[in-house]
């Protein structure tokens, strides 16, 4: 469901070029649960954004959900993301003027679902992450961990084929982290949801079946997780 | 340096009142290094914002740096913050249109330091957190952990008496976390910097000398950290 070959991503800041990713090959099959770790600045978010088609490689090829993306227009990429992908951003990216429920409904609005159906699915997703009582709070009225859980609910509400989660438990206490990891594992095992998560937490990483480590924009190891 | 007595903080969202903090007493002496833990939504950020004078209690009294704040104007509170406090926010709150160096200089601009002095101190602070090479990147051109480290450098650059850090290592890998904790411990021991940090990470919490736990807006335990 994910094929990156020879993928490089560079940025220019003034005279300086930053090679955030260098010559990365990555294959993820349907139903896998992959964790990505690595030091701050090693390219994890850059990699996740490329896999999620939010960004284009500087060079190399990419195939997502069976589709070669190199010549797709921005609009076609947006459709692909909406149909197949769910995203949890490192900085959440909730709409500040919408309450939690409306934020969770957004992927369903894009798909044209009727309001009643959207409310039903969004409420169920908020309940799943323990936030039914915060449905009408706006992001500024939510704690950091509550905002993160709303972002997770939004990523899952449309039942995507592939979820890309950047530090999905970064703002969560241990109990909330366990709750989110239980949700991820259940969806992976029962519904074959493919998961690629970036995390700094070894315990969170070990919920996956495969652990990839980045260093300075390169993949330096790619191993199965032994106990699961 | 911090005295909260009977402090309560409530929010109204429509018909519902959320009691984020209930009847909290808290005393922190100069030179202490305090960690605050608790579940998501238990009131940690609310407590930190009150200690940092970014918010006012709904009821109860507060004394910071020897000054009773209950009747201070917003301007007077802003001056008090700038003179005595350094803040690391859970969501960093960097100025998006300024590069890392200019962001770190901001507390010194407020104090009227000349440009050359500000640059010198800000560069030293960025070096301390390992980001000299990112001085001219804007927040959007920085990784999550790099943004967090810029926020930490900004909090420390003015040599405050008291630092309030909300999840200061939340976006950091273990190596960067150790670096930040080493900085905090050194400033605490060598310069008597008073530190109040919120964290979900037990290892980070145990770098402090005292551990306070919140649950549903109340202090439920307040114990020394035994090994240090
Ligand atoms: N402006 C607001 N209006 C209404 N409720 C609020 C507001 N700000 C915070 N709350 C609520 O107050 C409670 C405490 O929030 P706070 O941000 O202090 O929690 P926290 O302990 O920092 O949580 P986390 O670990 O998730 O960051 C939460 O349940 C939150 O929903
Ligand atoms: N728009 C940009 N312009 C210039 N450099 C960038 C840009 N975005 C990211 N970078 C740089 O690319 C490198 C990789 O960034 P990335 O966000 O992928 O790191 P990361 O592994 O997610 O780090 P963290 O764990 O801190 O979130 C960083 O050194 C960062 O400074
Ligand atoms: Mg990142
Ligand atoms: Mg918080």
């Amino acid at each position: 469901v994910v094929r990156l070959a020879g993928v490089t991503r560079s940025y220019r800041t003034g005279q300086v070029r930053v090679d955030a990713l260098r010559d990365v090959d990555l294959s993820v099959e349907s139903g896998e649960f992959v964790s990505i770790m690595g030091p701050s600045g090693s390219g994890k978010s850059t990699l996740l954004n490329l896999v999620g088609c939010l960004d284009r490689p500087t060079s190399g090829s990419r195939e997502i959900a069976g589709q070669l993306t190199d010549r797709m227009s921005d609009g076609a990429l947006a459709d692909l993301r909406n149909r197949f992908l769910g995203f949890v951003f490192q900085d959440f990216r909730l709409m500040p003027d919408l309450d939690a429920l409306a934020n969770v409904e957004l992927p369903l609005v894009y798909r044209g679902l009727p309001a009643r159906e959207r409310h039903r699915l969004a409420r169920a997703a908020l309940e799943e992450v323990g936030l039914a009582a915060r449905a009408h709070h706006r992001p500024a009225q939510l704690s950091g961990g509550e905002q993160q859980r709303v972002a997770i609910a939004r990523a899952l509400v449309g039942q995507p084929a592939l979820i890309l989660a950047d530090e999905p438990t970064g703002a969560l206490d241990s109990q909330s982290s366990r709750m989110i990891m239980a949700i991820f594992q259940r969806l992976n095992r029962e519904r074959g949801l493919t998961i690629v998560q970036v995390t700094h937490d070894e315990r969170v990483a070990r919920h996956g079946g495969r652990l990839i480590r980045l260093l300075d924009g390169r993949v330096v190891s790619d191993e199965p997780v032994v106990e699961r």
Side-chain angles (χ1 to χ4, degrees), chain A:
Chain A
V1 71
V2 177
R3 294 243 184 297
L4 301 183
V7 158
T8 290
R9 179 64 169 105
S10 302
Y11 299 105
R12 288 213 104 81
T13 324
Q15 296 283 29
V16 178
R17 195 184 77 204
V18 176
D19 293 327
L21 282 183
R22 311 157 194 257
D23 201 27
V24 167
D25 299 330
L26 176 66
S27 272
V28 179
E29 306 302 323
S30 178
E32 284 198 75
F33 187 165
V34 181
S35 299
I36 300 174
M37 300 189 79
S40 176
S42 56
K44 304 179 298 296
S45 297
T46 301
L47 179 56
L48 217 63
N49 286 338
L50 286 174
V51 173
C53 301
L54 290 162
D55 186 23
R56 293 180 191 269
T58 307
S59 61
S61 75
R62 169 176 64 186
E63 190 184 307
I64 304 293
Q67 303 185 40
L68 224 26
T69 65
D70 308 5
R71 290 185 171 181
M72 286 171 73
S73 68
D74 289 356
L77 285 175
D79 283 343
L80 183 134
R81 291 194 303 265
N82 185 257
R83 281 170 58 203
F84 294 112
L85 308 184
F87 222 105
V88 184
F89 295 96
Q90 195 170 5
D91 57 1
F92 317 155
R93 290 189 218 169
L94 300 177
M95 303 294 288
D97 300 327
L98 301 182
D99 66 14
L101 191 75
N103 264 288
V104 175
E105 289 186 21
L106 278 178
L108 309 178
V109 171
Y110 191 92
R111 284 186 199 176
L113 259 73
R116 179 182 283 183
E117 186 70 356
R118 296 197 314 257
H119 294 333
R120 185 179 70 77
L121 289 169
R123 277 195 193 285
L126 280 176
E127 196 131 344
E128 187 86 40
V129 298
L131 288 176
R134 295 283 182 267
H136 299 295
H137 285 230
R138 279 171 288 113
Q141 298 166 328
L142 294 171
S143 76
E146 289 168 345
Q147 291 178 46
Q148 187 163 48
R149 286 184 276 154
V150 172
I152 290 164
R154 177 181 65 183
L156 297 174
V157 73
Q159 299 200 13
L162 169 63
I163 189 156
L164 302 156
D166 201 341
E167 301 288 349
T169 64
L172 299 180
D173 60 288
S174 44
Q175 184 178 345
S176 308
S177 292
R178 281 196 293 275
M179 170 176 69
I180 295 306
M181 282 301 115
I183 293 168
F184 278 17
Q185 255 180 352
R186 179 172 52 77
L187 293 172
N188 177 247
R189 288 170 181 168
E190 294 180 7
R191 285 203 217 150
L193 173 67
T194 309
I195 301 173
V196 180
Q197 66 176 5
V198 167
T199 183
H200 287 310
D201 188 328
E202 288 269 347
R203 264 163 320 172
V204 166
R206 306 198 76 76
H207 278 84
R210 178 179 165 198
L211 180 52
I212 293 172
R213 293 189 188 271
L214 295 189
L215 187 63
D216 292 332
R218 294 186 189 279
V219 174
V220 296
S221 78
D222 186 347
E223 300 293 326
V225 170
V226 175
E227 86 290 13
R228 213 184 149 177

